[in-house]
Amino acid sequence: MIHSTLLGILAAVLSVFVAILIEGASLRSFFHLPAMLLIVGGTLGATFASYSISQVTKAVRDTRFALTRKKERDLKLIFFRFWEKARKDGLLSLEDEAKKLENPFLQKGIQLIVDGSDPRTIEEILWEAHEEEEKNDLKSAKVFETAAGFSPTVGIIGTVLGLVTVLENLDGGTKVLGQGIATAFIATFYGISFANLILLPISNQLKVVAKRESNERQAIMRGILSLQSGENRRILAERIDPFVKY
């Protein structure tokens, strides 16, 4: 099933093309390779100049993750399984379970329990790890937000360059002059369209995913502390519930 963000971007782009056709304009007049290269190259260049290569590549990886539908993990069921095992065989029996986990954050929490760390230490370690991951997740969204800020500005640069070319060829006649001005403004059209129809929606989706991941980590922290303190199953569920209802 197509992701809602991709569906929304597709709908937005199609609506622009439909509006162009309804207005009676030619689609060919809106395809201008030099303007496209300027917007893409200029936006990428300015973005790479603002962030490290590793930050930009991570943002791209996070986008692929955000736009891929993942099977949701039922944290309550996972912790209920841990609770049952700990109740029967003790907390040390969770060590083998921890090795099977795919979630590094959850694995870290279970391992801290097995190592016999005190609750305050566990909370501090997990909270610091959570804050660092949240900061990195939001930075990926910021990369696309920054690119969205550069794109319209680069479009204006392209328009100015195009108008300069038009002014240098004023003796070409009214038709040539009109075509030149239209071509000049295509760069602005590309810049605004890229920013608002593609880059900003991706940035917003990354923020949504970052919030979901943040809630999941906070649910894990509450579950870990509840599991260690030996609270009953109902209390364990009550501590997790506020963070998994999203």
Side-chain angles (χ1 to χ4, degrees):
M1 183 182 238
I2 188 170
H3 194 280
S4 61
T5 301
L6 293 176
L7 185 62
I9 291 174
L10 180 62
V13 172
L14 284 176
S15 68
V16 171
F17 286 130
V18 170
I20 291 172
L21 293 174
I22 291 176
E23 286 293 323
S26 171
L27 286 177
R28 290 183 60 187
S29 62
F30 282 85
F31 286 97
H32 194 259
L33 185 58
M36 179 74 73
L37 291 175
L38 175 64
I39 297 302
V40 174
T43 301
L44 281 176
T47 304
F48 272 108
S50 303
Y51 297 93
S52 66
I53 294 178
S54 61
Q55 287 174 334
V56 176
T57 53
K58 182 181 183 302
V60 174
R61 288 198 305 271
D62 288 348
T63 301
R64 292 177 59 188
F65 171 79
L67 299 182
T68 303
R69 291 188 178 276
K70 301 288 184 181
K71 185 178 179 181
E72 297 293 336
R73 288 185 287 261
D74 193 329
L75 286 177
K76 286 209 298 188
L77 287 180
I78 293 173
F79 273 103
F80 286 163
R81 189 176 76 245
F82 290 157
W83 182 85
E84 289 285 351
K85 188 169 182 60
R87 187 172 65 88
K88 292 178 180 178
D89 306 319
L91 290 173
L92 290 178
S93 65
L94 298 178
E95 185 169 16
D96 291 336
E97 293 290 329
K99 295 176 182 178
K100 301 175 186 177
L101 295 172
E102 296 180 359
N103 187 320
F105 192 80
L106 179 55
Q107 187 178 51
K108 181 194 288 286
I110 296 295
Q111 191 60 53
L112 286 170
I113 290 179
V114 173
D115 291 342
S117 305
D118 64 87
R120 184 172 181 178
T121 299
I122 292 177
E123 186 173 13
E124 288 176 351
I125 291 175
L126 291 181
W127 186 257
E128 289 170 1
H130 158 69
E131 287 189 320
E132 188 63 28
E133 288 193 40
E134 185 175 44
K135 184 168 62 177
N136 288 333
D137 290 342
L138 289 174
K139 189 173 290 182
S140 293
K142 186 65 177 177
V143 169
F144 280 93
E145 193 174 313
T146 301
F150 287 133
S151 183
T153 305
V154 176
I156 293 174
I157 293 174
T159 297
V160 172
L161 291 175
L163 290 177
V164 168
T165 303
V166 169
L167 293 175
E168 288 179 344
N169 296 277
L170 287 177
D171 58 346
T174 306
K175 183 177 180 180
V176 174
L177 184 63
Q179 289 176 342
I181 294 174
T183 300
F185 280 104
I186 289 297
T188 299
F189 168 76
Y190 282 157
I192 296 173
S193 297
F194 267 79
N196 292 280
L197 302 185
I198 298 176
L199 297 174
L200 283 178
I202 291 176
S203 175
N204 291 335
Q205 180 60 29
L206 286 173
K207 290 177 183 177
V208 169
V209 173
K211 178 61 176 175
R212 186 170 67 238
E213 294 291 310
S214 173
N215 284 344
E216 183 176 275
R217 287 191 296 272
Q218 291 190 63
I220 289 172
M221 281 191 284
R222 300 307 186 275
I224 290 293
L225 294 173
S226 178
L227 195 63
Q228 186 190 41
S229 63
E231 294 177 335
N232 64 50
R233 183 184 173 112
R234 183 179 62 81
I235 297 298
L236 172 62
E238 289 290 337
R239 293 193 183 279
I240 293 176
D241 271 342
F243 300 98
V244 295
K245 293 179 179 178
Y246 49 81

